């Protein structure tokens, strides 16, 4: 994980700055659903605007050895750096709105047709301001940056009510080349139920690298743990033997020593149709 950037010095497009200035003086925007919006408000936070960051990135070329399991480190760095650029610009927009954090963050990738190996990395979420300071003094993380979280509004409410607060959306990536098998090895297992240790080892190693990097980011934030972890396998456009393994989750820390977990209540929907 790189050092924390000075968000006040992050260059944002003029139109984005105008939109943010207009939002501060008029109305907020949000991609939260109605239920999420109301629960975020009940948790003690006010949405102040939809914030986003974008980076159109050229992903370079790296060739793996045909018969060797190996990380494609140049591609790993490219995927990580592109996401960091998008995240930082989203955080800079939140900073411009005076936000304490960003909830409901989505990270998306879209490969473009107007250029080989060009992809747009997008980070988008709703910036929020805490109505009151927490017992720990501030909602921001230990880097004095707005916290980020990919939790839904419902999960965010539950987290705050139970005495925890997000610290940051943490991630780890590993682009890995899975070795090809020779013709004789492939023919030797034809028609058999048998494990392929070469493939098992490759997938295991790649996921471990991604998980370890995600955990390292959480440790830098002095987090107690990571919730909502997703382990994704993203082939993109590199062919069947090269895949990005991506780990992402929300790092959290306690607000207080006691954690009161509310007992779930029975809820009956008031809608037409059969009950299941």
């Amino acid at each position: 994980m790189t050092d924390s950037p000075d968000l006040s010095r992050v260059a944002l497009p003029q139109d984005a700055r105008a939109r943010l200035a207009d939002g501060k003086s008029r109305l907020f925007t949000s991609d939260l659903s109605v239920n999420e919006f109301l629960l975020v408000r009940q948790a003690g936070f006010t949405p102040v605007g939809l914030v986003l960051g974008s980076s159109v990135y050229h992903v370079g070329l790296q060739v793996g050895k045909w018969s060797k399991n190996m990380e494609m480190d140049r591609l790993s760095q490219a995927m990580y750096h592109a996401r960091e650029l998008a995240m930082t610009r989203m955080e800079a927009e939140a900073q411009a709105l005076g936000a304490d954090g960003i909830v409901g963050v989505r990270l998306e990738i879209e490969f473009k047709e107007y250029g080989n190996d060009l992809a747009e990395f997008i980070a988008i979420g709703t910036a929020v301001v805490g109505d009151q300071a927490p017992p720990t003094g501030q909602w921001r993380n230990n880097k004095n940056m707005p916290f980020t979280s990919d939790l839904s509004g419902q999960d965010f409410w539950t987290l705050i009510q139970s005495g925890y607060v997000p610290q940051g959306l943490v991630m780890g990536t590993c682009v890995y080349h899975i070795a090809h098998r020779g013709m004789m090895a492939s023919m030797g297992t034809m028609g058999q139920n048998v494990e392929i240790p070469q493939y098992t080892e490759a997938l295991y190693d790649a996921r471990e690298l991604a998980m370890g990097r995600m955990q390292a980011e959480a440790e830098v934030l002095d987090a107690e743990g990571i919730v909502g972890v997703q382990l994704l396998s993203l082939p993109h456009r590199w062919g069947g033997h090269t895949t990005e393994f991506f780990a992402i989750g929300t790092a959290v820390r306690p607000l207080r020593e006691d954690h009161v977990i509310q007992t779930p209540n029975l809820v009956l929907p008031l809608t037409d149709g059969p009950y299941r």
Side-chain angles (χ1 to χ4, degrees):
M1 184 175 182
T2 57
D3 295 335
S4 299
D6 182 355
L7 296 180
S8 64
R9 302 182 64 180
V10 174
L12 295 175
Q14 183 176 354
D15 287 343
R17 293 192 178 276
R19 170 177 55 83
L20 297 171
D22 188 57
K24 290 177 69 174
S25 61
R26 297 179 60 186
L27 50 79
F28 74 87
T29 53
S30 168
D31 62 347
L32 299 173
S33 68
V34 173
N35 288 339
E36 287 180 304
F37 165 67
L38 295 175
L39 284 170
V40 167
R41 289 292 294 120
Q42 191 177 60
F45 290 82
T46 300
V48 291
L50 192 68
V51 290
L52 60 92
S54 173
S55 172
V56 178
Y57 205 92
H58 179 266
V59 181
L61 177 66
Q62 185 176 3
V63 179
K65 293 185 178 180
W66 195 85
S67 59
K68 182 179 179 181
N69 290 333
M70 59 180 291
E71 180 182 9
M72 311 291 277
D73 54 351
R74 289 182 58 191
L75 298 182
S76 294
Q77 292 169 10
M79 302 301 289
Y80 194 90
H81 186 220
R83 288 189 179 97
E84 280 290 304
L85 288 172
M87 285 281 292
T88 299
R89 288 164 185 161
M90 178 187 68
E91 291 165 342
E93 289 201 358
Q95 176 89 342
L97 291 172
D100 291 316
I102 311 171
V103 298
V105 174
R106 304 193 312 273
L107 284 176
E108 301 174 353
I109 303 175
E110 181 182 345
F111 278 85
K112 301 299 184 181
E113 298 300 330
Y114 49 74
N116 292 332
D117 301 319
L118 281 181
E120 182 182 19
F121 295 75
I122 306 170
I124 187 169
T126 297
V128 296
V129 174
D131 298 338
Q132 296 180 350
T136 53
Q138 69 170 7
W139 293 109
R140 292 187 168 212
N141 58 32
N142 64 343
K143 296 179 176 294
N144 197 32
M145 295 177 63
F147 67 76
T148 53
S149 166
D150 63 348
L151 298 177
S152 68
Q154 291 87 337
D155 286 343
F156 179 74
W157 178 88
T158 303
L159 191 73
I160 296 296
Q161 293 297 310
S162 302
Y164 288 91
V165 64
Q167 291 298 278
L169 192 62
V170 290
M171 58 187 175
T173 185
C174 174
V175 179
Y176 206 88
H177 175 262
I178 302 167
H180 293 73
R181 300 176 69 212
M183 182 180 297
M184 297 302 296
S186 299
M187 292 182 63
T189 56
M190 187 177 297
Q192 300 183 40
N193 292 330
V194 59
E195 181 182 17
I196 311 298
Q198 182 180 12
Y199 289 173
T200 301
E201 180 183 349
L203 299 178
Y204 208 114
D205 287 349
R207 290 190 177 97
E208 284 296 317
L209 287 170
M211 285 281 289
R213 289 163 185 168
M214 178 187 66
Q215 291 173 320
E217 284 203 352
E219 290 171 358
V220 171
L221 292 173
D222 292 332
E224 183 178 279
I226 309 172
V227 298
V229 173
Q230 299 178 66
L231 279 174
L232 306 176
S233 178
L234 307 171
H236 300 305
R237 294 187 173 183
W238 297 315
H241 279 260
T242 301
T243 301
E244 181 189 22
F245 293 85
F246 186 55
I248 187 170
T250 295
V252 300
R253 66 170 170 84
L255 284 170
R256 55 181 187 266
E257 292 185 0
D258 62 310
H259 302 291
V260 180
I261 312 299
Q262 293 192 356
T263 303
N265 296 320
L266 177 64
V267 177
L268 295 177
L270 299 178
T271 57
D272 295 331
Y275 293 108
R276 295 182 180 178

